[in-house]
């Protein structure tokens, strides 16, 4: 039996001690959105995100109402975007920005707080697409509102990609310059990792890792 003390204890936890569910994050694989044509990539990405996450926010709100515990954020993580950029015929920073704006538009359509995964994992070396993606990060973070980005530059096992460290240092500075009107807020949406976990649902460094399904939920 639940006694009155337990009821009041639960109310106090929520009302005075700020008990909440910090976030629910839907991970969406974009592997099947790969295409050599940038317009086709953006079309596939937008359709998949808006289809899979269309009820994410509403479901979170329904759970809040049923159990009386607030869910503060609803978010999306995706397969690192570098896999899409690498498949383009001749990737440019403009292509990367176009993908990022598509992500921003799709995430706003479904009503989430942030979308993470504009990312590159370069701890052992670069591909051409990864270099281009990293170079585009300042413009991406200054021209989108809720897209988050990350770069993985080192692991204990593989060592440190010093070229990537040097590049990301310049990228952080440039991002701060381009978002100076918002006190450098672009940098708050960027993470530079060492020893990143395989699957990370936490913003701003969220991305859906290898070994994950087509769509997963992290609470």
């Amino acid at each position: 039996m639940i006694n009155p003390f337990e009821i009041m204890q639960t109310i106090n936890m929520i009302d005075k001690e700020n008990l909440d569910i910090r976030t629910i994050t839907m991970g969406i694989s974009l592997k099947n959105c790969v295409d050599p044509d940038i317009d086709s990539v953006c079309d596939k990405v937008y359709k998949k995100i808006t289809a899979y996450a269309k009820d994410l926010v509403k479901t979170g709100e329904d759970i809040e109402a049923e159990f009386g515990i607030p869910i503060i954020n609803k978010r999306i993580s995706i397969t690192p975007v570098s896999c899409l950029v690498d498949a383009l015929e001749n990737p440019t920073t403009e292509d990367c920005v176009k993908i990022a704006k598509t992500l921003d538009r799709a995430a706003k359509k479904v009503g989430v707080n942030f979308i993470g995964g504009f990312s590159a994992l370069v701890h052992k070396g670069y591909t051409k697409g990864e270099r281009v993606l990293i170079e585009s990060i300042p413009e991406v973070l200054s021209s989108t509102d809720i897209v988050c980005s990350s770069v993985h530059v080192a692991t204990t096992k593989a060592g440190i990609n010093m070229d990537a460290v040097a590049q990301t240092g310049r990228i952080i500075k440039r991002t701060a310059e381009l978002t100076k009107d918002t006190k450098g807020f672009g940098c708050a949406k960027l993470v530079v990792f060492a020893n990143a976990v395989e699957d990370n649902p936490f913003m701003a460094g969220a991305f859906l890792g290898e070994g994950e399904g087509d769509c997963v939920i992290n609470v």
Side-chain angles (χ1 to χ4, degrees), residues 60 74 85 87 110 113 136 168 170 173 181 183 210:
K74 292 87 173 173
V85 179
V110 299
N113 305 101
S136 74
T168 51
R170 294 188 292 270
K173 185 173 183 292
D181 292 343
K183 299 182 179 180
E210 292 294 328

Side-chain angles (χ1 to χ4, degrees), residues 37-219:
D37 177 69
I38 182 61
D39 292 326
S40 181
V41 168
C42 291
D43 185 55
K44 290 178 182 179
V45 166
Y46 183 83
K47 287 179 178 177
K48 185 162 189 181
I49 291 173
T50 53
Y52 276 64
K54 63 183 176 65
D55 294 324
L56 178 62
V57 172
K58 181 182 181 302
T59 301
E61 291 170 347
D62 289 346
I63 293 170
E64 289 181 71
E66 181 177 356
F67 293 100
I69 299 177
I71 301 172
I72 305 303
N73 297 294
K74 292 87 173 173
R75 300 168 171 173
I76 295 171
S77 66
I78 56 172
T79 311
V81 168
S82 60
C83 74
L84 301 176
V85 179
D86 275 330
L88 296 175
E89 287 185 358
N90 187 29
T92 64
T93 55
E94 289 78 13
D95 292 332
C96 296
V97 172
K98 191 167 186 176
I99 294 172
K101 289 184 176 180
T102 300
L103 296 174
D104 200 56
R105 189 161 49 93
K108 288 175 178 177
K109 173 70 174 178
V110 299
V112 295
N113 305 101
F114 287 105
I115 182 166
F118 193 84
S119 307
L121 281 61
V122 296
H123 47 286
K124 292 184 73 176
Y126 283 112
T127 63
K128 179 183 177 181
E130 287 166 341
R131 283 183 182 271
V132 171
L133 180 140
I134 295 171
E135 201 59 39
S136 74
I137 287 174
E139 186 176 351
V140 163
L141 296 181
S142 63
S143 62
T144 60
D145 297 316
I146 56 177
V147 172
C148 293
S149 180
S150 62
V151 185
H152 186 217
V153 299
T155 67
T156 301
K157 182 178 180 180
I160 305 172
N161 183 341
M162 293 303 296
D163 290 334
V165 171
Q167 184 183 14
T168 51
R170 294 188 292 270
I171 292 302
I172 292 168
K173 185 173 183 292
R174 180 64 177 151
T175 301
E177 291 170 349
L178 290 180
T179 58
K180 62 183 179 182
D181 292 343
T182 55
K183 299 182 179 180
F185 183 66
C187 293
K189 299 185 290 177
L190 172 61
V191 174
V192 181
F193 278 120
N195 290 321
V197 296
E198 184 178 280
D199 177 56
N200 181 16
F202 301 108
M203 299 297 168
F207 61 87
L208 184 72
E210 292 294 328
E212 297 293 324
D214 203 38
C215 184
V216 300
I217 290 286
N218 292 283
V219 179

